[in-house]
Amino acid sequence: MTDEELFERINRIEIREGKERTIKSYVLRNNVISPKAERIIRDYMSDHGLFFEDSPLDYQKLFGNSNPVVIEIGFGMGNTTAEVAIRRPEFNYIGIEVFLQGFVNLLGILGERKIDNVRIMRFNAVDVLNHMIPDGSIAGFHIFFPDPWQKKRHHKRRLMNPEFLHLLSKKLVNGGYIYMVTDWEEYAEEVLEISESEELLVNPFGGFAPPVTWRPVTKFEQKGMESEHPINEIWLERIQY
């Protein structure tokens, strides 16, 4: 693959749609890859990046070990992702993000700090889960501060809905977890409510969960706390059979 082909593929997101699995491609506007970003992609994509493939991932081959795998959906700029991976080296991590600047930023962090237990993709999370992640294979999901789509008419765009929660649940190993954090209380309450109807999940806390020690406080979160926005943490677990 030439550099031009590599940059083009990074800059293009493909959406898989329909039973025939046809591919619709589109380029997000204003995604100009700077010379610095080109260097990061050229230097680190082969070691830390993934491209979409219509086949299940082989985690052992991908990471070179059999450690449990955690997926983070929407990692933003990726600083928290990197720090969690350092604090919990006994896990492997797959990060999924469509935001180009965030993808490149985390790619650079992983390469420069030589963080070997993280691989990242710039793709649509639902398609990755449906086509690349086998059922019953993931130890946990991290979803930190997803867009709350505050206006009522936009609530249908929220990531966490009954269908998506069920999809996550199917991908978990027995006892695996879904860990969501948000500063939008109404959204958090909604997720708690829909989780009660998901037969594959149980809430061990009966409501909001206490903070975990290994998740660092983000700049976004700090601003929210300074504005007296409550930080709501949700921890759900796959029922063990």
Side-chain angles (χ1 to χ4, degrees):
M1 185 183 302
T2 65
D3 286 350
E4 289 72 19
E5 290 170 336
L6 175 62
F7 302 147
E8 170 65 16
R9 194 168 182 186
I10 289 292
N11 200 31
R12 182 176 296 276
I13 294 181
E14 298 174 340
I15 302 297
R16 291 221 158 209
E17 298 177 330
K19 295 181 180 179
E20 292 77 22
R21 298 185 180 180
T22 55
I23 299 178
K24 176 182 179 182
S25 300
Y26 66 95
V27 176
L28 297 180
R29 300 304 175 189
N30 301 321
N31 281 335
V32 178
I33 300 180
S34 68
K36 179 181 178 181
E38 288 184 355
R39 177 190 62 78
I40 290 172
I41 293 169
R42 187 184 301 112
D43 290 349
Y44 302 129
M45 185 66 190
S46 61
D47 290 332
H48 302 282
L50 294 173
F51 286 116
F52 179 85
E53 301 291 344
D54 196 355
S55 59
L57 281 172
D58 182 334
Y59 308 132
Q60 175 75 42
K61 181 178 179 181
L62 182 62
F63 292 102
N65 60 58
S66 57
N67 291 345
V69 176
V70 171
I71 292 179
E72 181 174 356
I73 298 173
F75 56 73
M77 293 302 287
N79 302 84
T80 296
T81 311
E83 186 60 34
V84 169
I86 292 171
R87 295 182 182 187
R88 302 174 86 207
E90 68 274 19
F91 290 89
N92 293 321
Y93 298 86
I94 296 173
I96 306 172
E97 176 61 68
V98 296
F99 178 43
L100 179 61
Q101 184 179 351
F103 176 87
V104 173
N105 186 71
L106 180 53
L107 191 63
I109 293 172
L110 299 177
E112 291 163 10
R113 299 182 67 179
K114 302 186 187 310
I115 302 173
D116 295 328
N117 61 330
V118 182
R119 302 290 183 273
I120 60 176
M121 296 182 66
R122 182 166 185 258
F123 213 80
N124 177 45
V126 173
D127 290 326
V128 174
L129 294 175
N130 278 327
H131 297 282
M132 298 185 71
I133 307 300
D135 288 354
S137 70
I138 298 300
F141 286 100
H142 294 171
I143 303 171
F144 299 153
F145 300 98
D147 193 330
W149 292 103
Q150 300 174 12
K151 295 180 180 180
K152 187 173 182 179
R153 68 176 183 272
H154 292 157
H155 285 188
K156 62 183 179 181
R157 300 181 184 178
R158 287 176 170 174
L159 176 68
M160 298 297 284
N161 57 49
E163 293 75 20
F164 187 67
L165 190 63
H166 183 63
L167 177 60
L168 296 182
S169 304
K170 291 194 303 179
K171 302 302 173 180
L172 289 173
V173 300
N174 286 343
Y177 67 87
I178 298 170
Y179 177 35
M180 172 182 165
V181 185
T182 177
D183 67 337
W184 199 255
E185 190 166 13
E186 181 268 334
Y187 190 10
E189 293 282 2
E190 179 181 297
V191 173
L192 284 181
E193 182 177 351
I194 65 176
S195 71
E196 293 177 358
S197 299
E198 176 49 62
E199 61 183 13
L200 295 178
L201 296 175
V202 63
N203 184 337
F205 300 100
F208 293 131
V212 299
T213 58
W214 43 261
R215 186 182 66 83
V217 175
T218 67
K219 292 181 180 179
F220 177 85
E221 182 177 359
Q222 186 63 46
K223 289 180 180 179
M225 291 189 294
E226 291 171 358
S227 301
E228 298 185 348
H229 290 179
I231 305 302
N232 306 287
E233 311 209 12
I234 296 174
W235 185 282
L236 306 170
E237 295 181 359
R238 171 70 186 258
I239 292 176
Q240 300 191 48
Y241 293 100

